[in-house]
Amino acid sequence: MATARTTIASTRWERLKQDIRAAAGGLGIDQIGFASAEPFTELKHVLLRHREQGYESGFEEPDLDKRVDPALSLAEPQSIIAIAIAYPSKLHNPPKSEPGAYRGIISRSSWGDDYHAVLRDRLSRLEAFIRERVPEARIESMVDTGALVDRAVAERAGIGWSGKNCSIISPEWGSWIYLGEMITNIPFPPDTPITDQCGSCTKCIDACPTGALVGPGELNSSRCISFVTQTKGFVEDELKLKMGNRLYGCDTCQVVCPVNKGKNWTHQPELQPDPERVKPLLPPLLTLTNKQFKAQYGSMAASWRGRKPIQRNAIFALGTFKDRSAVPHLAERLQQDERPEIRGAAAWALGRIGGAEASDAVEEALLTEQHPQVREELDHAQAALQAQ
Ligand code: SF4
Ligand code: SF4
């Protein structure tokens, strides 16, 4: 009798799973997978080792147990549903490059509306679909601010394999996907994980400008440009140059991935980019007020740390490009900006660009600057200018 009941129940959940799968496209979900809610025991060792080696970004959930045990987010969990939403990788109408008009670039992961909002919308549509059929279901949805490791869930649920570049790579969508998940108390039968298809390829590791991919699938966040662009403080000289014109995020290890070749997804309306916003001219960024920044960038994921990191990174880019026309803007920041990181960045950029006007600005700032780290940047800039 008990066996017959169990069979009826598992048939019910298998049928519901198939219904969800069939409905996913209509709910705006590109790929869906089902996983058991067992703890991610093996992952805990990896996370611990990363912590010990100083590879964490500091943006993660600090409680490692919460990151690996779904039961700490939802009592008596029975399954996890992983979803993926595909985003574009190509700019349809990129702004024309004009001599002397330097532009920065925002990572593809922040091209449209903030993906957290888009994922939340898709998860709540999915939740409504499930609740209509199972009103008593308990559900806990999460996007990357949740406790669980999205990539571990997506891998177990068969969304894709975990690439050497630390992205989940879906055979169909590539790694241009946002991931979200929901823990449920419904015992959906799990899907099968996908076998690793990186093979002997190491293109992502070879292309990483900072050596942040310290091994296959192992990231030292403190050297990853994507992470560094989101920090708010001073940045080491070596990394400043390697950041190039990246204002937020870094896509290099995904762009070079052969699986992503030709994959560009334009069907999710909220995720399509405005070329002028994602590849903006650099000097106008420097003087944006908080209000202007929010109006222009507030709907994008790239705005989550406020304007300072993006303005600082824009200054690094002007220095890296050695844009002489930017000197008056940089001198103004050095003299007037209240934020030491911005003054420090301006000092560094002026030292790289060189010339009499840059030199005057640095000398003048040295007369009054009090902040020790800005003074350090000014001293380096002065030495660089004298050597020129
Ligand atoms: Fe390296 Fe950029 Fe990939 Fe980070 S995002 S691992 S810096 S290529
Ligand atoms: Fe794997 Fe090669 Fe893609 Fe890296 S570039 S994730 S090694 S397939």
Side-chain angles (χ1 to χ4, degrees):
M1 193 61 188
T3 319
R5 261 208 303 270
T6 316
T7 311
I8 291 167
S10 62
T11 310
R12 180 189 176 195
W13 303 131
E14 176 60 43
R15 204 177 305 128
L16 179 58
K17 176 176 154 176
Q18 294 318 326
D19 290 349
I20 292 173
R21 209 184 273 295
L27 300 172
I29 295 167
D30 291 317
Q31 197 178 341
I32 194 157
F34 296 78
S36 85
E38 293 297 312
F40 293 80
T41 316
E42 350 54 67
L43 185 63
K44 185 155 180 196
H45 303 293
V46 179
L47 297 176
L48 256 178
R49 188 159 45 83
H50 270 223
R51 178 164 289 179
E52 281 160 16
Q53 288 171 321
Y55 289 172
E56 288 186 327
S57 68
F59 297 148
E60 309 90 350
E61 159 67 52
D63 183 342
L64 292 189
D65 289 323
K66 273 184 110 176
R67 290 175 74 193
V68 300
D69 189 357
L72 296 178
S73 295
L74 181 86
E76 295 173 25
Q78 296 293 317
S79 67
I80 313 178
I81 307 177
I83 67 163
I85 303 176
Y87 59 88
S89 68
K90 290 188 172 48
L91 273 184
H92 177 51
N93 264 326
K96 294 241 171 338
S97 293
E98 283 157 23
Y102 292 107
R103 289 177 182 270
I105 185 77
I106 286 181
S107 150
R108 289 156 178 78
S109 63
S110 180
W111 271 7
D113 286 350
D114 187 338
Y115 64 91
H116 297 91
V118 181
L119 279 166
R120 268 195 288 273
D121 170 74
R122 302 306 189 266
L123 285 165
S124 70
R125 289 195 215 175
L126 176 58
E127 196 171 322
F129 184 91
I130 296 174
R131 283 197 191 287
E132 239 175 67
R133 286 147 187 89
V134 191
E136 71 281 12
R138 287 187 296 112
I139 293 172
E140 176 71 27
S141 293
M142 41 185 75
V143 296
D144 77 5
T145 44
L148 292 182
V149 178
D150 301 317
R151 287 183 313 219
V153 174
E155 189 181 7
R156 186 187 276 180
I159 296 283
W161 75 93
S162 184
K164 289 180 190 169
N165 62 3
C166 298
S167 301
I168 290 297
I169 306 179
S170 153
E172 185 179 359
W173 305 99
S175 63
W176 307 121
I177 45 176
Y178 296 122
L179 302 171
E181 62 264 349
M182 72 172 50
I183 312 173
T184 82
N185 67 338
I186 302 174
F188 289 112
D191 290 326
T192 314
I194 291 174
T195 323
D196 186 315
Q197 293 170 31
C198 283
S200 57
C201 174
T202 56
K203 280 187 191 259
C204 51
I205 296 175
D206 303 339
C208 175
T210 60
L213 290 168
V214 287
E218 266 204 89
L219 181 73
N220 177 355
S221 297
S222 66
R223 286 194 62 76
C224 175
I225 290 173
S226 184
F227 163 74
V228 177
T229 59
Q230 297 173 60
T231 59
K232 291 185 171 178
F234 288 80
V235 173
E236 290 169 35
D237 282 358
E238 182 216 347
L239 291 175
K240 285 182 186 118
L241 278 173
K242 290 188 170 163
M243 285 163 72
N245 67 338
R246 297 175 184 88
L247 299 173
Y248 178 89
C250 167
D251 291 329
T252 302
C253 56
Q254 293 192 79
V255 169
V256 299
C257 179
V259 188
N260 280 338
K261 196 154 188 256
K263 290 186 164 55
N264 176 38
W265 310 115
T266 56
H267 58 283
Q268 297 278 7
E270 307 102 305
L271 300 178
Q272 303 315 305
D274 165 357
E276 277 297 330
R277 277 204 309 173
V278 303
K279 213 176 164 193
L281 284 168
L282 292 168
L285 289 175
L286 271 45
T287 48
L288 285 181
T289 62
N290 256 332
K291 207 167 157 198
Q292 290 165 332
F293 178 78
K294 277 193 190 129
Q296 286 182 37
Y297 293 96
S299 65
M300 295 167 75
S303 71
W304 82 286
R305 299 282 284 166
R307 67 185 169 138
K308 186 167 76 174
I310 289 183
Q311 291 181 319
R312 179 201 62 190
N313 302 341
I315 294 174
F316 293 156
L318 289 166
T320 301
F321 285 136
K322 297 194 173 174
D323 180 3
R324 271 188 188 269
S325 68
V327 168
H329 305 292
L330 296 168
E332 190 182 85
R333 288 302 97 209
L334 184 59
Q335 284 154 12
Q336 295 176 12
D337 208 289
E338 290 171 351
R339 299 160 298 176
E341 299 81 4
I342 297 292
R343 300 200 301 279
W348 176 82
L350 288 166
R352 260 189 69 78
I353 297 168
E357 200 184 344
S359 189
D360 289 349
V362 167
E363 295 299 339
E364 197 184 317
L366 270 167
L367 298 176
T368 52
E369 180 62 54
Q370 301 290 323
H371 192 283
Q373 275 170 289
V374 183
R375 284 203 70 85
E376 210 174 296
E377 293 282 11
L378 282 166
D379 287 339
H380 288 157
Q382 187 185 43
L385 288 159
Q386 281 166 1
Q388 286 160 15

